[in-house]
Amino acid sequence: MEYSKEWAEIVELQQHTKNLILIAEEYDLNWNDYLQPFLEQRSALDHICRTMAVKTGINKDGSDGEAYENLNKAKGHLYRAFFDTADWLSTRFRSLIIEEGSSYNSDCIKKAIPNYYSDIPPDIQKINTKIADIRNNKDIASQTGTINQVNEYNNLIDKLRGYYEIIIEAKESLEELKNEQRRKSWKSIIIQIVVGLLIAVVGTIVGAVFL
Amino acid sequence: MKDWKKVINVKMPEVGPITKKSIDETKKNSHRFRGSTRVSTGRVWTDREYEIWREKVLNTPLP
């Protein structure tokens, strides 16, 4: 098949993006859609049709060069669709990690997830930076080896989802630790109040007896 | 309508930024079109809302 390498790349990109969109729609803050990837797919479809118009003879004036150029433009739009979706989903996982983790202090987190501070936040920071770099790159289609980056970012998003799931799984221990801390702090407040009262009572007695 | 072949190499019209106004218009006219339920019920990020949310999340320190 002519341009089989490009077609294979287009099919792979579309499936990766669809996979991420399906996940992103379920995890979105208000079950909203982010339309930018769909707009990119819309443009990609138009370029694919232009290629096919040449190849099927509908566009008799079109050249092979034009057909190939349009196929590459379609790829560019599909790359942008993928990276926009990756950005949407990775931002959402980051926000979920913040939402779920922020009600616990560092002691609770350290006890419930011992490798949290050494692994998770530094890795999340790296992932967000990498995705933002790619998203800001306007010449995605002209890069070589970008499909490898797509696979790399798919793995990074899987990692982010994994981190979110680690926090969700540790939720019970985190709650227990939080309650334990709360009990301890109440205990210490009560002891302080009792000691304070005792000192006041003893002070009053001593004052009354000796002064 | 017979001249569809003439538009093969014409660029698709730009959608423009997704705004609150465009979402409201879409909702108002949703009975005239078939398509995504989320879009027709206005469950869509505006460009501005998305960027504000994204910036806020990326600038919020991780726990």
Side-chain angles (χ1 to χ4, degrees):
Chain A
M1 187 187 178
E2 206 176 358
Y3 309 140
S4 58
K5 193 175 153 273
E6 284 74 17
W7 284 120
E9 206 172 332
I10 282 172
V11 170
E12 195 177 337
L13 272 171
Q14 169 63 14
Q15 303 317 309
H16 281 309
T17 309
K18 184 167 67 181
N19 185 33
L20 292 193
I21 287 174
L22 286 169
I23 301 167
E25 282 187 337
E26 289 310 309
Y27 279 96
D28 187 83
L29 186 61
N30 301 310
W31 294 279
N32 275 1
D33 257 335
Y34 177 46
L35 290 187
Q36 199 52 44
F38 299 103
L39 297 180
E40 296 291 350
Q41 287 175 330
R42 170 183 179 262
S43 302
L45 175 68
D46 193 47
H47 285 293
I48 288 170
C49 285
R50 287 191 216 180
T51 300
M52 291 314 288
V54 174
K55 289 292 147 193
T56 54
I58 292 171
N59 179 7
K60 291 188 173 61
D61 303 328
S63 65
D64 275 353
E66 253 176 65
Y68 186 68
E69 192 189 323
N70 273 305
L71 209 52
N72 275 320
K73 282 186 177 166
K75 257 171 41 183
H77 283 292
L78 290 174
Y79 272 113
R80 279 190 283 276
F82 174 83
F83 287 114
D84 282 340
T85 314
D87 183 77
W88 173 26
L89 190 55
S90 64
T91 309
R92 180 58 184 143
F93 278 130
R94 185 187 165 103
S95 84
L96 282 168
I97 290 167
I98 293 168
E99 278 166 33
E100 295 298 338
S102 57
S103 45
Y104 308 102
N105 64 27
S106 55
D107 282 342
C108 290
I109 295 176
K110 244 186 278 175
K111 277 182 193 159
I113 313 164
N115 66 333
Y116 179 84
Y117 287 103
S118 58
D119 296 347
I120 298 179
D123 220 20
I124 292 172
Q125 213 57 46
K126 259 189 255 167
I127 291 167
N128 285 128
T129 311
K130 272 187 181 179
I131 289 173
D133 285 349
I134 284 286
R135 191 173 175 249
N136 291 333
N137 191 340
K138 303 285 181 208
D139 297 322
I140 286 164
S142 68
Q143 291 181 6
T144 53
T146 336
I147 200 75
N148 293 333
Q149 283 174 319
V150 167
N151 289 322
E152 188 189 342
Y153 290 121
N154 263 327
N155 294 338
L156 294 176
I157 287 171
D158 276 345
K159 253 179 146 183
L160 273 179
R161 190 184 189 172
Y163 291 147
Y164 168 62
E165 279 163 6
I166 287 173
I167 294 180
I168 292 297
E169 278 164 21
K171 232 12 207 183
E172 207 182 323
S173 324
L174 283 164
E175 274 302 313
E176 263 174 39
L177 289 161
K178 191 177 164 183
N179 289 336
E180 195 186 306
Q181 275 189 349
R182 208 179 282 157
R183 273 196 301 273
K184 274 185 190 165
S185 99
W186 270 112
K187 212 171 155 184
S188 117
I189 289 170
I190 290 166
I191 290 170
Q192 280 174 27
I193 291 170
V194 170
V195 169
L197 282 173
L198 277 175
I199 290 170
V201 169
V202 170
T204 313
I205 294 168
V206 169
V209 172
F210 296 105
L211 297 175
Chain B
M1 295 300 166
K2 282 178 188 166
D3 288 343
W4 62 273
K5 286 183 186 174
K6 284 187 180 168
V7 296
I8 287 173
N9 282 323
V10 173
K11 265 192 164 185
M12 285 281 276
E14 292 284 333
V15 171
I18 312 294
T19 61
K20 261 266 165 290
K21 196 180 163 213
S22 56
I23 292 173
D24 288 344
E25 286 297 318
T26 308
K27 274 163 71 179
K28 216 192 290 173
N29 292 295
S30 62
H31 63 285
R32 296 174 61 198
F33 305 98
R34 292 176 70 182
S36 159
T37 310
R38 286 183 202 236
V39 174
S40 62
T41 53
R43 290 209 167 279
V44 171
W45 284 97
T46 66
D47 291 350
R48 197 176 135 74
E49 278 170 352
Y50 180 79
E51 282 308 321
I52 290 172
W53 169 73
R54 185 177 177 276
E55 282 303 307
K56 193 181 156 201
V57 171
L58 295 180
N59 290 321
T60 306
L62 291 159

